[in-house]
Amino acid sequence: MSGGVLRSVCTAALAAAVTASPAAAAAPAPGPAAGADSSVAQLLSELRKLYQQAEEATEKYNGTNAELKKRAAQAKKLDARLVTARTALTDSHDEAGQLAREQYQGRSDFSAYMRLLLSRDPGHLLDQEHVIRRAATSRAATVKRLTGAEKRADELATESRKVLDRQQVLAAKQKKQRDTVRARLKAVESMLAKLSGSQLTELSRLEQRNVEKAQGALAASGALSSARPPSEAGGEAVKYAIAQVGKPYVWGAEGPDSFDCSGLTSRAWAKAGQVIPRTSQEQWRQLPKVPVNALRPGDLVIYFPKATHVALYIGNGLVVQAPRPGSKVKVSPLASNPLLGAVRPDPRNTSLSSYKPPQLPQGASAGSDAGYSSSSAPSASGK
């Protein structure tokens, strides 16, 4: 299959068709129930719906996975702080125990100074009072350190337990989301297995026609007229993304050997020195919006009503994307999916005065955007 099968229609009607309701998401996957009676357009709509459901489930999984990593890092820091607090508590206990033993044995500084105060030489009285106050202050500081260390250790232990509980909840949620992704991809595989060669050929032709129509309409509207050069960081992100062309799409992957859609965009910007959210939904929610007619290379293009797909703009109306399971990272027309909008990871950075885009590798736009490959499926032992 070629020409970006099943992935690239950018009309409003099809955008509405691919927006799955919660009820539809929970329902069994539709298939070419009527066989030859189903039109190619209906098949395309059904497949796109399945792919969007799979991608939405994947991005939810990615979001949970990113949060789980943050919690794990937090737990690690808490554990280190707890070890330090418990060490301080042990030291304070030792100091308090030493004071108690000295007091019991009559060897404390306080006892010694009391004996001095009772001496017959009153000339030293004021000096002895100062020494007593200093000794008492030292003992008070020891007691304060002890109670403070106990309180801090208790607080850290409580916080650590809360983080661990949250990790367990997230791990269970992640497993459920992983199983949802598997089910969605299995539904796609099942449906594609039922399609005939002629149906697949016709689907490819229909999709290619719709992509060309959508891209032409976008160009005619002036939305692709921007010729702005990227920022320095944006240029680095573009360079990295283009270098990944040909690597396989694998759900949940963020490089370096395979990617999903937001794994590619987040890694490209990380390589450019800027950390951005991991998922397409959070990229859309947190990063500053920019008009499509003001795009510059490095900007992120967000697709579908629920922001479930993302690509990286490279200029000239083209994006680099990791399309879907069974496909590879490739260069596609900006209108290869129903467009939601665009965001800019570095709005404060100025554009370069001049820019020479990296050369695209041979066949960068070739390859299938469609289909399902078992090599992309999560294994039974996967996360």
Side-chain angles (χ1 to χ4, degrees):
M1 295 174 285
S2 61
V5 181
L6 319 177
R7 184 68 169 168
S8 309
V9 183
C10 191
T11 61
L14 195 52
V18 298
T19 306
S21 67
D37 295 336
S38 295
S39 70
V40 172
Q42 287 173 324
L43 289 174
L44 180 62
S45 178
E46 290 174 0
L47 275 169
R48 290 177 65 85
K49 185 182 294 185
L50 286 176
Y51 271 121
Q52 192 184 4
Q53 289 174 2
E55 197 155 40
E56 183 179 348
T58 296
E59 289 300 272
K60 286 181 179 179
Y61 172 91
N62 288 339
T64 300
N65 191 48
E67 187 177 355
L68 194 54
K69 288 180 180 178
K70 290 180 181 178
R71 294 287 178 174
Q74 183 183 4
K76 186 176 181 180
K77 290 180 180 179
L78 278 174
D79 286 345
R81 291 166 61 190
L82 187 55
V83 168
T84 301
R86 283 174 172 163
T87 300
L89 180 58
T90 299
D91 293 343
S92 296
H93 273 137
D94 291 344
E95 290 183 51
Q98 181 66 24
L99 281 176
R101 285 191 297 274
E102 290 180 354
Q103 185 69 35
Y104 176 74
Q105 297 169 2
R107 294 188 295 104
S108 68
D109 293 335
F110 181 77
S111 297
Y113 297 144
M114 281 300 291
R115 286 195 297 272
L116 285 172
L117 279 175
L118 295 175
S119 70
R120 294 180 180 181
D121 187 355
H124 293 289
L125 178 60
L126 293 177
D127 288 341
Q128 302 309 327
E129 286 180 344
H130 172 72
V131 172
I132 290 173
R133 285 195 297 271
R134 188 169 61 184
T137 299
S138 177
R139 288 194 301 276
T142 298
V143 174
K144 184 177 181 180
R145 282 197 302 273
L146 175 62
T147 55
E150 286 178 337
K151 181 179 179 182
R152 184 59 181 152
D154 287 343
E155 289 174 347
L156 286 171
T158 299
E159 190 175 355
S160 183
R161 284 193 296 271
K162 288 181 179 178
V163 169
L164 180 59
D165 290 343
R166 179 59 178 158
Q167 278 184 284
Q168 292 173 341
V169 170
L170 284 172
K173 181 179 180 181
Q174 185 188 44
K175 182 180 182 299
K176 184 177 180 180
Q177 290 171 342
R178 177 202 65 190
D179 293 342
T180 300
V181 174
R182 287 175 171 172
R184 295 288 180 252
L185 295 179
K186 192 68 176 177
V188 172
E189 181 184 35
S190 177
M191 184 174 183
L192 287 173
K194 297 177 183 178
L195 299 182
S196 66
S198 61
Q199 285 175 317
L200 292 173
T201 299
E202 184 63 16
L203 283 170
S204 177
R205 186 197 63 78
L206 175 61
E207 185 186 38
Q208 184 65 29
R209 185 184 68 190
N210 286 334
V211 170
E212 291 172 356
K213 181 179 178 181
Q215 187 80 355
L218 204 58
S221 72
L224 302 182
S225 60
S226 173
R228 293 173 174 81
S231 64
E232 183 177 356
E236 289 299 314
V238 169
K239 181 179 177 182
Y240 179 84
I242 290 176
Q244 311 315 305
V245 167
K247 293 185 178 180
Y249 177 109
V250 174
W251 76 273
E254 48 190 325
D257 300 320
S258 58
F259 299 89
D260 64 14
C261 67
S262 57
L264 175 65
T265 55
S266 60
R267 177 58 70 95
W269 271 97
K271 285 294 184 180
Q274 185 161 334
V275 176
I276 64 173
R278 168 63 175 89
T279 68
S280 57
Q281 290 100 331
E282 288 304 302
Q283 290 170 4
W284 174 246
R285 188 177 71 85
Q286 295 185 32
L287 300 178
K289 310 290 192 297
V290 292
V292 176
N293 62 4
L295 284 173
R296 69 184 186 187
D299 289 344
L300 305 183
V301 182
I302 312 295
Y303 298 98
F304 297 105
K306 293 184 179 181
T308 52
H309 186 68
V310 61
L312 191 142
Y313 187 64
I314 61 173
N316 298 319
L318 300 174
V319 296
V320 173
Q321 63 168 336
R324 64 175 56 157
S327 65
K328 295 181 179 180
V329 176
K330 61 171 296 188
V331 174
S332 303
L334 187 148
S336 59
N337 297 284
L339 184 64
L340 178 61
V343 294
R344 179 165 294 163
D346 63 337
R348 293 186 179 88
N349 292 347
T350 57
S351 298
L352 296 170
S353 57
S354 62
Y355 173 67
K356 183 178 180 180
Q359 184 175 358
L360 296 180
Q362 187 174 2
S365 298
S368 173
D369 284 350
Y372 174 89
S373 169
S374 59
S375 63
S376 302
S379 66
S381 60
K383 292 183 177 180

